[in-house]
Amino acid sequence: MKKAIPILLIVFLCLLVAFSAVCEYRQQHPVPEEMLVSFESHGKCWFKNAEGETLECEGTNYSGDMQVIDASIGGFSASYFSLTVPYSKRLEASLENAGPDSFISVGSDLGGWAVLGSGVQRTIFTDSGVETTGENMEYSIRFFSIEEFYLEVTGSGESHIRYVRKGGKLYLTAQDAAFTVEFKSFLEEGSMDSMDFSAGETCTIRIRDGGMEFVR
């Protein structure tokens, strides 16, 4: 019994340190209350969150059991539509007949992803990344997190594309065809840096306070 007391004390202290670390992380990275879903689609699109709630959208009309806090029309075009909905860890989007000008983005205080282009059928957005599937895609996928800087990935033909953020790094893989990764700024024209990758190859990017860089 006497030997068990120090062990229990050590376990308690470890749990206390872990709990303190979690609390500190939550203070520095609070869970957002809302997220903004923006899209432009000339067909139907469907959304489903981690809680199982859904929305069906066609043009600027929508219905379903997912709460819509605010809705707005306009932006890049008259058919550009934005919905403010409660934050969810996962949002699945399905598109019908996505054309060249189809666009969908999900953003919160934790960052944002946007998927543009034709052939996109299904996209899953999470805090840590985005996963896209489709047929004969001509796509552009963008990641926003650092002030005016953003990352843009372009390619064609892929049936499955996956981008995951883990800690200070971002990993990108396209299953069936080559892709190009570029670092860009809203304040400058052109690309700040770029690399080409083969099908199945993984691109690794280091995310820093001052921007992003390839892990070559």
Side-chain angles (χ1 to χ4, degrees):
M1 184 65 182
K2 291 182 179 179
K3 292 182 179 180
I5 292 176
I7 295 174
L8 291 174
L9 181 60
I10 292 172
V11 172
F12 174 76
L13 291 174
C14 290
L15 291 174
L16 183 61
V17 170
F19 178 75
S20 299
V22 171
C23 291
E24 183 178 354
Y25 179 86
R26 285 303 183 190
Q27 289 177 353
Q28 296 176 356
H29 304 83
V31 176
E33 294 182 358
E34 302 173 353
M35 59 186 184
L36 183 66
V37 180
S38 302
F39 57 94
E40 182 170 11
S41 174
H42 299 289
K44 289 184 179 180
C45 54
W46 297 264
F47 299 97
K48 182 178 181 180
N49 63 17
E51 292 72 31
E53 299 167 332
T54 61
L55 277 179
E56 179 177 330
C57 305
E58 184 172 11
T60 57
N61 299 314
Y62 59 89
S63 61
D65 58 359
M66 188 187 304
Q67 180 188 1
V68 175
I69 300 170
D70 190 25
S72 60
I73 304 172
F76 299 109
S77 70
S79 57
Y80 185 85
F81 196 39
S82 295
L83 299 173
T84 301
V85 299
Y87 169 79
S88 181
K89 293 182 178 181
R90 183 182 188 274
L91 187 71
E92 179 181 337
S94 300
L95 300 178
E96 178 185 72
N97 301 323
D101 56 352
S102 293
F103 170 91
I104 181 169
S105 71
V106 174
S108 70
D109 294 340
L110 300 176
W113 293 90
V115 179
L116 305 83
S118 61
V120 177
Q121 296 176 337
R122 180 172 175 262
T123 301
I124 298 174
F125 298 90
T126 66
D127 292 341
S128 59
V130 60
E131 189 169 347
T132 300
T133 55
E135 294 182 358
N136 300 316
M137 288 188 285
E138 295 286 344
Y139 73 89
S140 169
I141 296 181
R142 298 172 185 173
F143 168 65
F144 313 89
S145 73
I146 306 168
E147 297 180 351
E148 77 272 13
F149 302 106
Y150 68 97
L151 175 150
E152 182 173 45
V153 184
T154 55
S156 61
E158 285 87 351
S159 62
H160 188 116
I161 311 160
R162 189 168 185 257
Y163 309 115
V164 178
R165 181 178 182 178
K166 294 181 180 179
K169 291 184 179 180
L170 184 67
Y171 303 90
L172 309 98
T173 306
Q175 178 176 297
D176 296 329
F179 61 101
T180 300
V181 182
E182 297 179 89
F183 299 142
K184 294 185 175 182
S185 169
F186 294 109
L187 307 179
E188 301 178 12
E189 293 186 2
S191 174
M192 301 172 65
D193 196 2
S194 67
M195 283 188 71
D196 296 324
F197 295 87
S198 302
E201 190 176 2
T202 296
C203 166
T204 303
I205 295 163
R206 183 179 290 110
I207 302 172
R208 298 183 179 275
D209 292 339
M212 294 175 275
E213 64 181 13
F214 292 108
V215 177
R216 302 179 188 270

